């Protein structure tokens, strides 16, 4: 089979036998794949220091006719994000982002946009740039890219358009905002000030690069956290194992 090349982020590795490694990676062009790196645990020139979890790499691989597992031919390190590995809190955030990526984009579903998002979010976290904001941005963008954007244009229960005035509530079952006439604010239907709804819209709609620092005040951050957690839990289930380490 023809060799394929792509940038990729290493999500997980597992030992196989005495010298091989099974590598799960999210590639820019082909999505989430698993590959066999033969001899990677012996000194192998084809994989020098590149098969570490969360590393950004250039991968060359070939598909196999009878197996889901691809052959990894070579791997070259682009960026290792060393800052993440030295800090448990940063590692927890990165693990959470990886898990969300895998749930939203399971095997063989490519999304170059999602790849770029994960890549820049890991970069920001590794440089300890506004890690809380980065996580919020990642959650909002990832859900949108995965097809689960929050609808903030109107109340999903009565249909009244939201004109950016007054508090709006987030309603997880509809993935949309609802008005105060239709629902009461609670942990299950968290509320947002107009500024928070506005920031959420920005996060979902623009091609916002994570490298430009977007700062929110504490109140917006707190509200967005509650809304996105409720949204993600409802859509992706409680299966996000790493979520508990964020609290
Ligand atoms: Zn309503």
């Amino acid at each position: 089979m023809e060799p394929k090349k792509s940038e990729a982020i290493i999500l997980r590795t597992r030992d196989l036998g005495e010298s091989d490694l099974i590598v799960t990676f999210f590639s820019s062009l082909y999505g989430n794949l698993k590959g066999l790196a033969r001899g990677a645990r012996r000194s192998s020139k084809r994989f020098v220091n590149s098969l570490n979890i969360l590393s950004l790499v250039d991968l060359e691989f070939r598909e196999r006719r009878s197996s889901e597992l691809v052959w990894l031919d070579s791997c070259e390190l682009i960026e290792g994000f060393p800052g993440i590995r030295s800090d448990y809190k940063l590692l927890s955030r990165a693990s959470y982002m990886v898990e969300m990526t895998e749930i939203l984009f399971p095997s063989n579903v490519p999304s170059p946009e999602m790849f770029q998002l994960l890549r820049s979010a890991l970069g920001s976290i590794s440089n300890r740039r506004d890690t809380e904001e980065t996580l919020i941005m990642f959650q909002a963008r990832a859900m949108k890219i995965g097809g689960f954007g929050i609808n903030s244009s109107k109340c999903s229960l009565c249909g009244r358009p939201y004109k950016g005035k007054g508090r709006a509530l987030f309603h997880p079952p509809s993935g949309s905002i609802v008005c105060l006439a239709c629902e009461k604010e609670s942990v299950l239907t968290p509320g947002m000030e107009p500024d928070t709804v506005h920031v959420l819209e920005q996060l979902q709609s623009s091609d916002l690069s994570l490298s430009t620092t977007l700062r929110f005040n504490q109140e917006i951050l707190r509200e967005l956290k509650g809304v996105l957690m409720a949204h993600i839990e409802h859509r992706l289930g409680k299966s996000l194992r790493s979520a508990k380490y964020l609290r």
Side-chain angles (χ1 to χ4, degrees):
M1 290 235 171
E2 283 288 289
K4 290 180 169 167
K5 271 186 176 187
S6 178
E7 286 187 342
I9 290 160
I10 309 286
L11 305 181
R12 211 168 314 108
T13 62
R14 183 161 60 81
D15 292 351
L16 182 76
E18 303 236 311
S19 59
D20 302 342
L21 212 55
I22 304 242
V23 183
T24 307
F25 57 91
F26 187 62
S27 66
S28 170
L29 300 178
Y30 306 97
N32 192 339
L33 290 170
K34 250 186 212 163
L36 179 62
R38 298 189 75 173
R41 283 156 61 221
R42 289 200 223 107
S43 63
S44 166
K45 286 197 176 108
R46 295 174 299 147
F47 305 114
V48 187
N49 295 329
S50 57
L51 293 175
N52 294 316
I53 295 168
L54 300 175
S55 291
L56 172 67
V57 296
D58 250 329
L59 266 187
E60 227 180 271
F61 64 92
R62 277 169 297 138
E63 282 174 318
R64 297 156 80 191
R65 267 192 197 89
S66 55
S67 171
E68 278 188 3
L69 222 54
V70 301
W71 291 119
L72 294 189
D73 285 334
S74 70
C75 182
E76 210 170 295
L77 184 69
I78 301 173
E79 168 64 64
F81 304 119
I84 298 176
R85 264 173 271 275
S86 56
D87 184 316
Y88 178 75
K89 215 170 154 186
L90 300 184
L91 193 60
S92 301
R93 288 189 176 157
S95 307
Y96 175 83
M97 298 194 302
V98 161
E99 209 183 334
M100 252 186 97
T101 304
E102 287 195 274
I103 292 175
L104 287 168
F105 293 92
S107 296
N108 293 313
V109 183
S111 171
E113 201 184 358
M114 186 67 202
F115 176 81
Q116 288 307 335
L117 177 70
L118 182 60
R119 173 193 185 145
S120 49
L122 289 176
S124 296
I125 287 192
S126 182
N127 294 326
R128 293 162 193 270
R129 255 199 324 259
D130 307 312
T131 61
E132 196 133 36
E133 281 92 339
T134 299
L135 185 67
I136 293 286
M137 272 191 258
F138 180 86
Q139 289 175 311
R141 290 291 303 149
M143 289 301 275
K144 174 76 179 178
I145 296 170
F148 300 111
I150 293 174
N151 175 14
S152 59
S153 63
K154 59 177 193 222
C155 169
S156 67
L157 298 177
C158 69
R160 189 151 64 101
Y162 182 67
K163 300 213 171 88
K165 296 207 176 78
R167 264 178 105 65
L169 306 179
F170 173 63
H171 184 245
S174 58
S176 167
I177 58 165
V178 292
C179 73
L180 282 162
C182 291
E183 273 287 351
K184 273 203 183 71
E185 184 164 346
S186 74
V187 196
L188 298 175
T189 45
M192 290 180 276
E193 284 294 309
D195 282 352
T196 307
V197 178
H198 182 64
V199 169
L200 179 64
E201 279 167 354
Q202 281 185 317
L203 292 178
Q204 293 194 132
S205 70
S206 62
D207 277 326
L208 193 86
S209 150
L210 282 164
S211 54
T212 57
T213 313
L214 191 96
R215 286 192 167 275
F216 328 133
N217 67 39
Q218 283 305 307
E219 186 54 18
I220 293 178
L221 203 61
R222 192 187 61 76
E223 287 185 345
L224 281 178
K225 247 182 175 175
V227 166
L228 287 166
M229 270 299 176
H231 184 44
I232 291 165
E233 264 183 31
H234 192 88
R235 290 296 143 187
L236 307 186
K238 302 206 193 283
S239 52
L240 270 157
R241 283 167 288 125
S242 50
K244 61 177 182 284
Y245 302 114
L246 297 179
R247 299 204 172 104

